[in-house]
């Protein structure tokens, strides 16, 4: 992925200056068929253009190599904005005394993680508002 730059493009029958980013894929053609590689790249492009769902692996710094959780972020239109829903799964696979749990169990641990994610999303919203005000 390259940096985002304003570039002239055809949009809705007119030439407009829009933020654009080039996306490239490298692969070993001896191992991966070009058709599958292009299909994958097209899907990545579609997800970037119309993001509705993002799933990623999340690992705390103190996780062992085989320990991981999964974060799913959903984006839905809501009124004049976007509702962002975060689900963080996989904690049940970690032992109850794992350091990432901060000696919390059950609803106390869920509340702590919910507050943490709330802080992260608030910071992102504030950054988006700042960037939008500068545009």
């Amino acid at each position: 992925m390259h940096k985002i730059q304003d570039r002239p493009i055809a949009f809705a029958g007119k030439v407009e200056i829009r933020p654009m980013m080039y996306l490239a894929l490298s692969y070993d053609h001896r191992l991966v068929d070009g058709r599958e590689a292009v299909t994958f790249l097209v899907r990545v492009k579609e997800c970037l253009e119309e993001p509705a769902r993002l799933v990623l692996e999340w690992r705390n710094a103190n996780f062992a190599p085989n320990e991981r959780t999964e974060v799913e972020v959903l984006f839905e239109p809501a009124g004049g904005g976007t509702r962002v829903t975060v689900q963080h799964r996989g904690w049940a696979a970690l032992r109850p005394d794992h350091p990432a749990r901060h000696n919390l169990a059950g609803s106390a641990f869920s509340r702590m993680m919910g507050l943490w994610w709330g802080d992260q999303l608030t910071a992102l919203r504030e950054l988006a508002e700042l960037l939008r005000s500068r545009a």
Side-chain angles (χ1 to χ4, degrees):
M1 296 169 73
H2 300 261
K3 70 179 182 175
I4 298 172
Q5 291 184 312
D6 287 343
R7 298 183 188 281
I9 64 161
F11 185 79
K14 298 183 286 183
V15 175
E16 293 187 11
I17 303 299
R18 290 283 183 119
M20 298 291 296
M21 175 180 65
Y22 289 111
L23 180 63
L25 174 67
S26 296
Y27 62 95
D28 187 335
H29 71 302
R30 296 169 295 180
L31 301 173
V32 178
D33 181 43
R35 187 173 131 215
E36 280 77 22
V38 169
T39 300
F40 171 76
L41 189 58
V42 167
R43 182 67 184 128
V44 169
K45 178 187 92 56
E46 291 169 353
C47 290
L48 290 171
E49 288 178 342
E50 295 291 332
R53 179 175 178 255
L54 173 67
V55 179
L56 52 106
E57 179 181 289
W58 186 86
R59 300 184 70 240
N60 202 348
N62 59 9
F63 278 19
N66 63 334
E67 295 175 325
R68 61 187 42 87
T69 61
E70 179 181 270
V71 176
E72 179 178 17
V73 186
L74 301 174
F75 303 91
E76 306 170 78
T82 303
R83 176 183 300 118
V84 180
T85 305
V86 177
Q87 293 183 353
H88 194 162
R89 300 183 279 269
W91 291 103
L94 300 178
R95 65 184 196 277
D97 65 338
H98 194 285
R101 294 182 182 275
H102 301 277
N103 294 315
L104 299 172
S107 61
F109 176 71
S110 294
R111 179 170 164 44
M112 180 200 65
M113 290 304 298
L115 291 170
W116 184 84
W117 276 110
D119 288 345
Q120 304 309 306
L121 294 172
T122 297
L124 287 172
R125 179 184 50 79
E126 290 170 351
L127 176 61
E129 288 171 353
L130 176 66
L131 294 174
R132 193 176 4 225
S133 72
R134 291 180 180 174

